[in-house]
Amino acid sequence: MDFGLVLQTDPPASQVVGLMRRAERNGFRYGWTFDSAVLWQEPFVIYSQILEHTTKLRVGPMVTNPGTRTWEVTASTFATLNDMFGNRTVCGIGRGDSAMRVAGRRPNTLARLGEAIDVIRDLAEGREAEVDGNPVRIPWVKNGKLPVWMAAYGPRALALAGRKADGFILQLADPFLTEWMVKAVREAAREAGRDPASITVCVAAPAYVGDDLAHARDQCRWFGGMVGNHVADLVAKYGEHSDMVPEELTAYIKNRQGYDYSHHGRAGNPSTDFVPDEIVDRFCLLGPAAAHIDRLRHLRDLGVDQFAVYAMHDDREGTIDAYGSEVIPALTG
């Protein structure tokens, strides 16, 4: 199993770079960041510094979207980083939640997302693609490689990931839901004539190592609110009691009262008071290192290839170091 670290690009950028360097020293192989231009600093500028100050770490957004950047610019940016540092980027992409809604726009349609996945990958790898009806090719790309991993929750999005994406990003660590969603992605891949095993599965969730469960829950409760934004979209589309979406995913948002993006992804987010302890425990990894190892072994058995640690809490360094000394060796040795 691979491991990744997920950060927000809060200033100073040097701190983000330092935490990514610490992660690489502790055995993490991927460095991810949020991508919302209004809420945080520009991640692609910071990726250049992360890549310069690490040796093997792969970097990318978790996740970008096809609406806030034109596709040829996204592809060219990835291709430039790859040319400078040797194909060490991954394009995590989704419909766009915070990036689009903070700017007053709706998340992108799945049709637009599916088209963007093909175009961005083709352009970044040096092939011609059609952009707004016009053939485009980036002529200087040589031996480019850009895996595109798609974030998804709902049935249609899972099917799209199975048909088009090189990887599937699932932003929660509940084994029941992981099994259901991974199965859906792989079935879609099989129906599209693809090898289901060729799709990398990345589960991303907060992890907090320590014995004080009450404190850990409070530090990670924000994540249930973030996931709740996507769940609310699914309920609006499919209904509260739908065979298309498991009740285990939808039931907890009944008391949701709205969401303030100024606290997005942050400990103490007041918009997440509706999230019960049970959901925090199911969606996140909390407790001593042994508990993390047990959950991760279960996820690995379900086909998860990478666990990406959301470290938006008050013990980022401690969690990175605990994973490096105890958790990662147990899952990679």
Side-chain angles (χ1 to χ4, degrees):
M1 179 180 271
D2 282 332
F3 288 84
L5 177 67
V6 189
L7 299 173
Q8 294 169 335
T9 51
D10 288 313
S14 59
Q15 187 174 63
V16 177
V17 176
L19 288 168
M20 291 298 186
R21 295 180 67 187
R22 189 182 195 119
E24 184 178 59
R25 291 195 301 269
N26 275 283
F28 290 77
R29 294 188 63 235
Y30 288 77
W32 303 95
T33 74
F34 283 36
D35 178 19
S36 293
V38 174
L39 296 177
W40 301 289
Q41 291 186 330
E42 172 53 43
F44 286 92
V45 176
I46 299 171
Y47 295 157
S48 187
Q49 288 296 301
I50 295 170
L51 290 165
E52 174 68 26
H53 290 91
T54 57
T55 58
K56 296 181 179 180
L57 198 73
R58 296 177 179 272
V59 305
M62 189 175 282
V63 292
T64 193
N65 73 87
T68 54
R69 307 173 193 274
T70 60
W71 303 350
E72 67 272 22
V73 170
T74 298
S76 181
T77 304
F78 278 112
T80 301
L81 291 172
N82 284 338
D83 186 64
M84 293 172 67
F85 299 104
N87 288 340
R88 289 169 55 197
T89 66
V90 181
C91 177
I93 194 167
R95 293 177 59 220
D97 176 36
S98 61
M100 295 295 287
R101 287 180 163 130
V102 165
R105 288 173 279 179
R106 294 173 60 86
N108 297 270
T109 65
L110 288 176
R112 181 174 173 81
L113 175 56
E115 185 181 356
I117 287 173
D118 290 336
V119 169
I120 291 168
R121 184 198 290 118
D122 283 344
L123 291 177
E125 294 186 349
R127 295 183 294 276
E128 183 179 286
E130 189 173 287
V131 180
D132 294 330
N134 299 305
V136 175
R137 187 177 71 85
I138 302 175
W140 50 262
V141 174
K142 307 296 181 186
N143 302 314
K145 185 65 178 175
L146 182 65
V148 181
W149 297 8
M150 178 183 155
Y153 290 108
R156 292 178 58 234
L158 295 169
L160 179 62
R163 291 195 305 270
K164 288 187 176 288
D166 302 299
F168 163 48
I169 296 172
L170 172 58
Q171 291 162 308
L172 54 80
D174 175 68
F176 175 85
L177 293 169
T178 297
E179 182 175 18
W180 181 80
M181 293 185 185
V182 169
K183 181 180 178 181
V185 169
R186 288 183 169 157
E187 285 181 350
R190 189 177 296 108
E191 291 173 0
R194 305 180 66 197
D195 177 6
S198 68
I199 300 174
T200 302
V201 177
C202 174
V203 161
Y208 197 108
V209 181
D211 295 324
D212 188 343
L213 280 177
H215 180 72
R217 286 177 182 132
D218 286 343
Q219 287 292 302
C220 298
R221 198 175 306 276
W222 63 265
F223 184 67
M226 187 182 84
V227 173
N229 292 334
H230 302 285
V231 174
D233 287 344
L234 294 178
V235 169
K237 184 174 185 60
Y238 296 104
E240 185 176 338
H241 304 289
S242 170
D243 293 337
M244 301 290 288
V245 184
E247 188 174 356
E248 287 84 352
L249 183 61
T250 61
Y252 83 98
I253 68 162
K254 291 178 181 178
N255 295 321
R256 182 177 181 269
Q257 299 295 321
Y259 194 82
D260 181 356
Y261 279 93
S262 66
H263 304 286
H264 187 58
R266 299 187 186 280
N269 185 338
S271 299
T272 61
D273 291 344
F274 70 94
V275 181
D277 288 350
E278 177 192 2
I279 288 295
V280 182
D281 291 347
R282 289 181 63 172
F283 285 9
C284 307
L285 271 67
L286 312 175
H292 293 241
I293 292 168
D294 287 345
R295 175 80 69 86
L296 289 169
R297 283 175 173 158
H298 191 178
L299 292 171
R300 183 179 62 183
D301 291 344
L302 295 174
V304 175
D305 301 296
Q306 179 183 152
F307 178 61
V309 175
Y310 278 110
M312 279 67 82
H313 52 59
D314 65 0
D315 192 25
R316 296 182 297 183
E317 292 86 352
T319 295
I320 293 168
D321 292 347
Y323 263 68
S325 62
E326 299 182 72
V327 179
I328 294 177
L331 274 296
T332 59

